[in-house]
Amino acid sequence: MRQLASAAVGFARACVVVVVTMLVPAVWAAAVALWMWWWDGDPWSGIVPFMWACIGTLALSRPVCRMVRSLVAKWTGTVIPTGYRQAGPVARMSTGYWWNGYSYERTSRDAHLDQQWRTRWRDPATWRDLRFTAIAPVTAGVICAIPLTGVAAAVLGLSQPALPARLIGVFGLAVAIVGAPYTWRSLEPVAVRFLRPSPAMTMADRVDELTAQRADTTVAQAAEIRRIERDLHDGAQARLVALGLSLATAEKLMETDPEQARALMREARAGATTSLTELRDLVKGISPPVLTERGLIDAVRALALDSPLEAMVDADLQLRLDPPIESAMYFGIAELLTNAAKHAHATRVRISIAQDDTGIVVEVEDNGRGGVDERAGGGLDGLRRRLAVFDGTVEITSPAGGPTRVRMMVPCESL
């Protein structure tokens, strides 16, 4: 029974593979049939069916490849990256026209449409998909058609009274039952071989990714500089100016109104203390002294002590990383602690810092209400972009009702 069930499942999967891989050949078969129907001795009558078949192939190639990737991932667990190029942003110029990286268009819709066609036409993945739609029918498609052929032979043969026909029918049935559990497996190696992005495509994607990361880093640095300038201008600088005015006024009042002069000097001293505190906080926001002097683990422990949550740090190792990586991990943990207290309404949080064969791993788990809503441009999105600069990753598990568990990993070859 188990073998029959496996054969039934394999037969169904083989049928699906045949249908998917034969979609494009079916378009060409229909074009040939249409041309033969129109044939009147004029060889040019085949142009329309030929164009129709070409357009149908272009339209079906990407959906067919997506279905193949989905089937392979569902049946075998093998994930094949798509490697498709993504269209860039469209910007409106001061002239009112829209720039899509290739041309100016009057409307945003025209700009997006033109960009999508240009991107798809120049994408090497488009030609890779076309190649696969030509190869798959004669490889995986033919192999998966064996059980179907066996069933057809069994139906035709067993329905005939002649003994040779019946023997052929029995043989076809045996081929279908024995081959069904295995024939559909031919789809995976064919798809992996011909649908996987080539090294050149992978390298191009990597260049695009690094370009985007460089742009993000530039934007983040510019924003940080503007924040520091704003904090200095609105805080410490304003207080120092007021301090200078108070001291100048006190100097003038020293002879005529000593009491008022002493009051102004007391205010000036309080202002100087406040300015010094603001400057210390500003420097701490750039790079906490404990992080610079004692490293990530002690800095996280100090951060946990200042947190309003009941925070526990689990890190039984001695670790010193490059300063940019330590800073990224530290402010990532600080962001997660803030989210746990502000959005998740958690009361306890556990921070685990460890290292494996590839890099440093930090896990932050809280007992909050869960259901994290990760928005584009939000704090978690910024955390991903911050770690992506170092090829780091962020994995978030946050079911409704909690708990929320965030795993940050940054590869470090020096460990």
Side-chain angles (χ1 to χ4, degrees):
M1 290 300 294
R2 181 176 299 178
Q3 186 174 1
L4 288 178
S6 177
V9 173
F11 182 77
R13 291 181 176 180
C15 292
V16 173
V17 173
V18 170
V19 171
V20 172
T21 56
M22 293 298 176
L23 284 176
V24 172
V27 171
W28 283 92
V32 172
L34 185 63
W35 175 61
M36 295 177 65
W37 183 57
W38 279 355
W39 173 257
D40 56 355
D42 184 5
W44 296 102
S45 61
I47 292 180
V48 174
F50 177 76
M51 295 298 296
W52 180 75
C54 291
I55 294 173
T57 302
L58 286 173
L60 286 175
S61 61
R62 186 163 292 191
V64 165
C65 293
R66 283 176 176 165
M67 283 190 286
V68 169
R69 290 191 189 90
S70 176
L71 292 176
V72 171
K74 182 179 180 181
W75 292 344
T76 66
T78 302
V79 178
I80 304 175
T82 60
Y84 296 128
R85 288 182 178 177
Q86 302 298 322
V90 174
R92 189 172 190 178
M93 312 303 292
S94 59
T95 57
Y97 282 75
W98 293 82
W99 171 250
N100 59 13
Y102 302 98
S103 63
Y104 293 97
E105 301 294 338
R106 288 184 178 274
T107 63
S108 173
R109 178 179 175 278
D110 292 342
H112 280 290
L113 191 61
D114 178 77
Q115 184 190 50
Q116 290 174 1
W117 278 109
R118 290 176 183 269
T119 302
R120 185 167 180 174
W121 185 255
R122 299 182 180 185
D123 191 353
T126 300
W127 307 106
R128 180 202 58 198
D129 291 351
L130 289 174
R131 182 187 62 178
F132 178 78
T133 55
I135 294 175
V138 297
T139 52
V142 171
I143 296 175
C144 291
I146 293 176
L148 279 73
T149 306
V151 170
V155 171
L156 294 176
L158 294 177
S159 62
Q160 300 296 325
L163 181 59
R166 287 180 175 270
L167 291 177
I168 293 175
V170 172
F171 178 74
L173 183 61
V175 169
I177 294 175
V178 174
Y182 306 103
T183 53
W184 65 269
R185 300 180 188 274
S186 62
L187 181 65
E188 181 190 8
V190 175
V192 171
R193 171 63 181 82
F194 294 101
L195 276 184
R196 185 178 55 192
S198 64
M201 295 169 61
T202 304
M203 182 63 70
D205 292 341
R206 181 60 176 162
V207 171
D208 293 341
E209 181 182 357
L210 292 176
T211 302
Q213 290 177 1
R214 184 183 62 182
D216 286 343
T217 303
T218 303
V219 172
Q221 289 178 343
E224 187 68 10
I225 291 174
R226 287 196 298 271
R227 183 188 69 81
I228 295 172
E229 290 176 347
R230 186 175 61 252
D231 291 347
L232 287 173
H233 181 270
D234 298 340
Q237 179 178 336
R239 291 187 181 278
L240 290 175
V241 171
L243 175 62
L245 292 175
S246 297
L247 290 176
T249 305
E251 183 180 7
K252 293 179 180 179
L253 294 175
M254 188 64 70
E255 298 296 335
T256 58
D257 191 351
E259 188 63 28
Q260 183 66 22
R262 282 194 290 271
L264 289 174
M265 294 184 71
R266 285 195 295 271
E267 293 178 0
R269 185 175 60 185
T273 303
T274 304
S275 298
L276 182 61
T277 302
E278 289 184 352
L279 287 174
R280 285 174 175 169
D281 292 341
L282 182 61
V283 172
K284 184 178 180 180
I286 297 173
S287 181
V290 65
L291 178 64
T292 304
E293 297 170 359
R294 304 183 61 179
L296 176 64
I297 295 176
D298 287 340
V300 171
R301 285 179 173 144
L303 184 66
L305 291 176
D306 296 335
S307 174
L309 306 174
E310 181 183 345
M312 181 179 67
V313 180
D314 182 10
D316 296 329
L317 70 166
Q318 297 295 326
L319 185 70
R320 284 312 302 256
L321 304 171
D322 292 338
I325 298 177
E326 285 192 332
S327 179
M329 300 297 279
Y330 173 83
F331 285 106
I333 295 172
E335 173 75 21
L336 296 176
L337 288 178
T338 302
N339 290 344
K342 184 177 179 181
H343 302 296
H345 303 290
T347 56
R348 296 191 306 275
V349 63
R350 183 184 63 83
I351 305 169
S352 172
I353 304 175
Q355 67 179 76
D356 56 16
D357 297 336
T358 58
I360 178 72
V361 179
V362 175
E363 290 187 354
V364 180
E365 180 179 356
D366 64 57
N367 65 340
R369 59 187 180 184
V372 169
D373 181 17
E374 188 174 355
R375 296 176 291 102
L380 293 176
D381 185 47
L383 176 59
R384 288 186 187 279
R385 286 188 282 113
R386 181 194 291 267
L387 296 185
V389 175
F390 309 101
D391 288 337
T393 59
V394 178
E395 299 175 5
I396 302 175
T397 305
S398 180
T404 296
R405 183 180 299 107
V406 181
R407 183 177 187 274
M408 300 183 292
M409 194 282 290
V410 174
C412 297
E413 294 183 356
S414 58
L415 291 177

